Amino acid sequence: MSDAYPNYDPRVRDQFIRNYRDRGMMKWGGFYLSDHTRVIEKKDKSRRANEKRRLQKQMDFQKISANLFNAFANEKEVSVQLAEENKDHYVAQTIVGFVQGYGDDGIVIAGQVIAFEDIWNCRIIN
């Protein structure tokens, strides 16, 4: 081996082996880069969003109509919770925005047409 590496000293190798301290998992920290962190952040964001959107108390149609009309007439923002939910009783979607108009088929909030029968809860925000 000394022919291929003329400056090779086996004592240096032995000293390195005796004194080398492995940093363990610290050296793998760099592998959690953009793709990994993006997936983790997306899961955390989804989990936090579901925690905030628990199903609220169902409102009767007259109260929902009164809130929507009041918000439309006074240009106030509303939070509308749809009647869809998953098995863990988390709401599928909450729409926040201004009432832009309404018709026979539903109401338009933030550019989305929502059928009246799909509304579970409606609150005036401001």
Side-chain angles (χ1 to χ4, degrees):
M1 192 163 185
S2 62
D3 294 335
Y5 301 100
N7 296 330
Y8 175 74
D9 185 3
R11 292 177 297 178
V12 172
R13 182 200 64 185
D14 294 339
Q15 184 180 6
F16 175 77
I17 291 172
R18 276 194 310 269
N19 296 327
Y20 178 71
R21 187 170 114 349
D22 188 12
R23 297 184 305 151
M25 288 303 294
M26 286 175 52
K27 63 185 172 189
W28 297 99
F31 289 106
Y32 285 103
L33 298 176
S34 60
D35 293 339
H36 296 103
T37 54
R38 196 173 315 127
V39 170
I40 292 169
E41 287 171 359
K42 186 176 179 181
K43 286 182 181 179
D44 286 345
K45 186 177 181 180
S46 172
R47 181 182 51 79
R48 279 184 262 127
N50 279 339
E51 287 174 358
K52 294 177 184 175
R53 295 188 306 179
R54 287 201 177 265
L55 192 60
Q56 297 177 2
K57 183 179 177 184
Q58 183 178 11
M59 295 175 73
D60 63 340
F61 182 73
Q62 287 77 21
K63 182 68 175 166
I64 291 172
S65 297
N67 283 351
L68 290 173
F69 180 76
N70 186 8
F72 182 68
N74 298 310
E75 297 181 8
K76 294 187 177 189
E77 197 172 23
V78 293
S79 171
V80 174
Q81 204 172 52
L82 300 183
E84 304 167 3
E85 64 177 292
N86 64 14
K87 62 181 173 128
D88 298 326
H89 302 290
Y90 289 122
V91 176
Q93 188 175 14
T94 301
I95 300 168
V96 177
F98 291 95
V99 179
Q100 298 169 327
Y102 56 93
D104 294 336
D105 54 344
I107 190 159
V108 180
I109 299 174
Q112 295 181 349
V113 179
I114 305 165
F116 290 115
E117 60 269 5
D118 291 343
I119 298 175
W120 181 266
N121 188 301
C122 175
R123 293 182 302 119
I124 297 175
I125 295 176
N126 58 11

Coordinates of all heavy atoms in Angstrom, one line a residue, residues 37-81:
T37 N -40.0 19.1 3.7 CA -40.6 20.1 4.5 C -41.9 20.6 3.9 O -42.8 20.9 4.7 CB -39.6 21.3 4.7 OG1 -39.2 21.8 3.5 CG2 -38.4 20.9 5.5
R38 N -42.0 20.7 2.6 CA -43.2 21.1 2.0 C -44.4 20.1 2.3 O -45.5 20.6 2.7 CB -43.1 21.2 0.5 CG -44.1 22.0 -0.2 CD -43.9 22.3 -1.6 NE -42.5 22.7 -1.9 CZ -41.7 22.1 -2.8 NH1 -42.2 21.1 -3.5 NH2 -40.5 22.5 -3.0
V39 N -44.1 18.8 2.3 CA -45.1 17.9 2.6 C -45.5 17.9 4.1 O -46.7 17.9 4.4 CB -44.6 16.4 2.2 CG1 -45.6 15.4 2.8 CG2 -44.5 16.3 0.7
I40 N -44.5 18.1 4.9 CA -44.8 18.2 6.4 C -45.6 19.4 6.7 O -46.6 19.4 7.4 CB -43.5 18.1 7.2 CG1 -42.8 16.8 7.0 CG2 -43.7 18.5 8.6 CD1 -41.4 16.7 7.6
E41 N -45.2 20.6 6.1 CA -46.0 21.8 6.3 C -47.4 21.7 5.8 O -48.3 22.2 6.4 CB -45.3 23.0 5.7 CG -44.0 23.4 6.4 CD -43.2 24.4 5.6 OE1 -43.6 24.8 4.5 OE2 -42.1 24.8 6.1
K42 N -47.6 21.1 4.7 CA -48.9 20.9 4.1 C -49.8 20.1 5.0 O -51.0 20.4 5.3 CB -48.8 20.3 2.7 CG -50.1 20.2 2.0 CD -50.0 19.7 0.6 CE -51.3 19.6 -0.1 NZ -51.1 19.0 -1.5
K43 N -49.3 19.0 5.6 CA -50.0 18.2 6.5 C -50.4 18.9 7.8 O -51.5 18.9 8.3 CB -49.3 16.9 6.9 CG -49.3 15.9 5.7 CD -48.5 14.6 6.1 CE -48.5 13.6 5.0 NZ -47.8 12.4 5.4
D44 N -49.4 19.7 8.3 CA -49.7 20.5 9.5 C -50.7 21.5 9.3 O -51.6 21.8 10.1 CB -48.4 21.1 10.0 CG -47.4 20.1 10.7 OD1 -47.9 19.0 11.0 OD2 -46.3 20.5 10.9
K45 N -50.6 22.2 8.1 CA -51.6 23.2 7.8 C -53.0 22.7 7.7 O -54.0 23.2 8.2 CB -51.2 23.9 6.5 CG -52.0 25.1 6.1 CD -51.5 25.8 4.9 CE -52.3 27.0 4.5 NZ -51.8 27.6 3.3
S46 N -53.1 21.5 7.0 CA -54.4 20.9 6.9 C -55.0 20.4 8.2 O -56.2 20.6 8.5 CB -54.2 19.6 6.0 OG -55.4 18.9 5.9
R47 N -54.1 19.9 9.1 CA -54.6 19.5 10.4 C -55.0 20.7 11.2 O -56.1 20.7 11.9 CB -53.4 18.8 11.2 CG -53.8 18.3 12.5 CD -52.7 17.6 13.2 NE -51.5 18.4 13.2 CZ -51.2 19.5 14.1 NH1 -52.2 19.8 15.0 NH2 -50.1 20.2 14.0
R48 N -54.3 21.8 11.2 CA -54.7 23.0 11.9 C -56.0 23.6 11.4 O -56.8 24.1 12.1 CB -53.6 24.1 11.9 CG -52.5 23.8 12.9 CD -51.5 24.9 12.9 NE -50.3 24.4 12.1 CZ -49.8 25.0 11.1 NH1 -50.2 26.2 10.7 NH2 -48.8 24.5 10.4
A49 N -56.2 23.5 10.1 CA -57.4 24.1 9.4 C -58.6 23.3 9.9 O -59.7 23.8 10.2 CB -57.3 24.1 7.9
N50 N -58.4 21.9 9.9 CA -59.5 21.1 10.4 C -59.9 21.3 11.9 O -61.0 21.2 12.2 CB -59.2 19.6 10.1 CG -59.4 19.2 8.7 OD1 -60.2 19.8 8.0 ND2 -58.8 18.1 8.3
E51 N -58.9 21.6 12.7 CA -59.1 21.8 14.1 C -60.0 23.1 14.3 O -60.8 23.1 15.2 CB -57.8 22.0 14.8 CG -57.1 20.7 15.0 CD -55.7 20.9 15.7 OE1 -55.3 22.0 15.9 OE2 -55.1 19.9 15.9
K52 N -59.8 24.1 13.4 CA -60.5 25.3 13.6 C -61.9 25.3 13.0 O -62.7 26.1 13.4 CB -59.7 26.4 12.8 CG -58.4 26.8 13.4 CD -57.7 27.8 12.6 CE -56.3 28.1 13.1 NZ -55.6 29.0 12.3
R53 N -62.2 24.3 12.2 CA -63.5 24.3 11.5 C -64.4 23.2 12.0 O -65.0 22.5 11.2 CB -63.2 24.1 10.0 CG -62.5 25.3 9.4 CD -62.5 25.2 7.9 NE -62.0 23.9 7.5 CZ -61.8 23.5 6.2 NH1 -62.2 24.3 5.3 NH2 -61.3 22.3 5.9
R54 N -64.5 23.1 13.3 CA -65.5 22.1 13.8 C -66.9 22.6 13.5 O -67.2 23.8 13.3 CB -65.3 22.0 15.3 CG -64.1 21.2 15.7 CD -64.2 20.7 17.1 NE -63.1 19.9 17.4 CZ -63.0 18.6 17.2 NH1 -64.0 17.9 16.8 NH2 -61.9 17.9 17.5
L55 N -67.7 21.6 13.4 CA -69.1 21.9 13.0 C -69.8 22.8 14.1 O -69.8 22.5 15.3 CB -69.9 20.6 12.9 CG -71.2 20.7 12.2 CD1 -71.1 21.2 10.8 CD2 -71.8 19.3 12.2
Q56 N -70.4 23.9 13.7 CA -71.1 24.8 14.6 C -72.5 24.3 14.7 O -73.0 23.4 14.0 CB -71.0 26.2 14.1 CG -69.6 26.8 14.0 CD -69.6 28.2 13.4 OE1 -70.6 28.7 13.1 NE2 -68.4 28.7 13.3
K57 N -73.2 25.0 15.6 CA -74.6 24.6 15.8 C -75.5 25.0 14.5 O -75.3 26.0 13.9 CB -75.2 25.4 17.0 CG -76.6 25.1 17.3 CD -77.0 25.9 18.6 CE -78.5 25.6 18.8 NZ -79.0 26.5 19.9
Q58 N -76.3 24.1 14.2 CA -77.2 24.3 13.0 C -78.2 25.4 13.3 O -78.8 25.5 14.3 CB -77.9 23.0 12.6 CG -78.7 23.2 11.3 CD -79.4 21.9 10.9 OE1 -79.5 21.0 11.6 NE2 -79.9 22.0 9.7
M59 N -78.3 26.3 12.3 CA -79.2 27.4 12.4 C -80.5 27.1 11.5 O -80.4 26.4 10.6 CB -78.6 28.7 11.8 CG -77.4 29.2 12.6 SD -76.6 30.6 11.9 CE -77.8 31.9 12.2
D60 N -81.6 27.6 11.9 CA -82.8 27.4 11.2 C -82.8 28.4 9.9 O -82.1 29.4 9.9 CB -84.1 27.6 12.0 CG -84.2 29.1 12.5 OD1 -83.2 29.8 12.6 OD2 -85.3 29.4 12.9
F61 N -83.6 28.1 8.9 CA -83.6 28.8 7.7 C -83.9 30.2 7.8 O -83.3 31.1 7.2 CB -84.6 28.1 6.7 CG -84.6 28.7 5.4 CD1 -83.5 28.5 4.5 CD2 -85.7 29.5 4.9 CE1 -83.5 29.1 3.2 CE2 -85.7 30.1 3.7 CZ -84.6 29.9 2.8
Q62 N -84.8 30.6 8.7 CA -85.2 32.0 8.9 C -84.0 32.8 9.4 O -83.8 33.9 9.0 CB -86.4 32.1 9.9 CG -87.7 31.7 9.3 CD -87.9 30.2 9.2 OE1 -87.2 29.4 10.0 NE2 -88.8 29.7 8.4
K63 N -83.3 32.3 10.4 CA -82.1 33.0 10.9 C -81.0 33.2 9.9 O -80.4 34.2 9.8 CB -81.6 32.3 12.2 CG -80.5 32.9 12.9 CD -80.9 34.2 13.5 CE -79.7 34.8 14.3 NZ -79.9 36.2 14.7
I64 N -80.8 32.1 9.1 CA -79.8 32.2 8.0 C -80.2 33.2 7.0 O -79.4 34.1 6.6 CB -79.6 30.8 7.3 CG1 -79.0 29.8 8.3 CG2 -78.8 30.9 6.1 CD1 -78.9 28.4 7.8
S65 N -81.5 33.2 6.6 CA -82.0 34.2 5.7 C -81.9 35.6 6.2 O -81.5 36.6 5.5 CB -83.4 33.9 5.3 OG -83.6 32.7 4.7
A66 N -82.2 35.8 7.5 CA -82.1 37.2 8.1 C -80.6 37.7 8.1 O -80.4 38.8 7.8 CB -82.7 37.1 9.5
N67 N -79.7 36.8 8.5 CA -78.3 37.1 8.5 C -77.8 37.5 7.1 O -77.1 38.5 6.9 CB -77.4 36.0 9.1 CG -77.5 36.0 10.6 OD1 -78.1 36.9 11.2 ND2 -77.0 35.0 11.2
L68 N -78.2 36.7 6.1 CA -77.7 36.9 4.8 C -78.3 38.2 4.2 O -77.6 39.0 3.6 CB -78.1 35.8 3.8 CG -77.3 34.5 4.1 CD1 -77.8 33.3 3.3 CD2 -75.8 34.7 3.8
F69 N -79.6 38.5 4.5 CA -80.2 39.7 4.0 C -79.6 40.9 4.7 O -79.3 41.9 4.0 CB -81.7 39.7 4.2 CG -82.4 40.9 3.8 CD1 -82.6 41.2 2.4 CD2 -82.8 41.9 4.7 CE1 -83.2 42.3 2.0 CE2 -83.4 43.1 4.2 CZ -83.6 43.3 2.9
N70 N -79.3 40.8 6.0 CA -78.7 41.9 6.7 C -77.3 42.2 6.2 O -76.9 43.3 6.0 CB -78.7 41.6 8.2 CG -78.1 42.7 9.1 OD1 -78.0 43.8 8.6 ND2 -77.9 42.4 10.3
A71 N -76.5 41.2 5.9 CA -75.2 41.3 5.4 C -75.2 41.9 4.0 O -74.4 42.8 3.7 CB -74.5 40.0 5.4
F72 N -76.2 41.5 3.2 CA -76.3 42.0 1.8 C -76.7 43.5 1.8 O -76.1 44.3 1.2 CB -77.3 41.2 1.0 CG -77.4 41.7 -0.4 CD1 -76.4 41.5 -1.3 CD2 -78.6 42.2 -0.8 CE1 -76.5 41.9 -2.6 CE2 -78.8 42.6 -2.1 CZ -77.7 42.5 -3.0
A73 N -77.7 43.8 2.7 CA -78.2 45.2 2.7 C -77.2 46.2 3.3 O -77.1 47.4 2.9 CB -79.5 45.3 3.5
N74 N -76.4 45.7 4.3 CA -75.4 46.6 5.0 C -74.0 46.4 4.6 O -73.1 46.9 5.2 CB -75.6 46.4 6.5 CG -76.9 46.8 7.0 OD1 -77.5 47.9 6.6 ND2 -77.6 45.9 7.7
E75 N -73.7 45.6 3.5 CA -72.4 45.3 3.0 C -71.5 44.8 4.1 O -70.4 45.4 4.3 CB -71.8 46.6 2.3 CG -72.6 47.0 1.1 CD -72.0 48.2 0.4 OE1 -70.9 48.6 0.7 OE2 -72.7 48.7 -0.5
K76 N -71.9 43.8 4.8 CA -71.1 43.2 5.8 C -70.6 41.8 5.4 O -71.2 41.2 4.5 CB -71.9 43.0 7.1 CG -72.3 44.4 7.7 CD -72.9 44.2 9.0 CE -73.2 45.5 9.6 NZ -73.7 45.5 11.0
E77 N -69.5 41.4 5.9 CA -68.8 40.2 5.5 C -69.5 39.0 6.4 O -69.8 39.2 7.5 CB -67.3 40.2 5.8 CG -66.6 39.1 5.1 CD -65.1 39.4 5.3 OE1 -64.6 40.0 6.2 OE2 -64.3 38.8 4.4
V78 N -69.7 37.9 5.7 CA -70.3 36.7 6.4 C -69.3 35.5 6.4 O -68.5 35.4 5.5 CB -71.6 36.4 5.8 CG1 -72.7 37.4 6.0 CG2 -71.5 36.0 4.4
S79 N -69.5 34.6 7.3 CA -68.9 33.3 7.3 C -70.0 32.3 7.2 O -70.8 32.2 8.1 CB -68.1 33.2 8.6 OG -67.6 31.8 8.7
V80 N -70.0 31.5 6.1 CA -71.0 30.5 5.9 C -70.4 29.2 6.0 O -69.4 28.9 5.3 CB -71.6 30.7 4.5 CG1 -72.6 29.6 4.2 CG2 -72.3 32.1 4.4
Q81 N -71.0 28.3 6.8 CA -70.5 27.0 7.0 C -71.5 26.1 6.2 O -72.7 26.1 6.5 CB -70.5 26.6 8.5 CG -69.5 25.5 8.8 CD -69.4 25.4 10.3 OE1 -70.3 25.3 11.0 NE2 -68.1 25.4 10.8

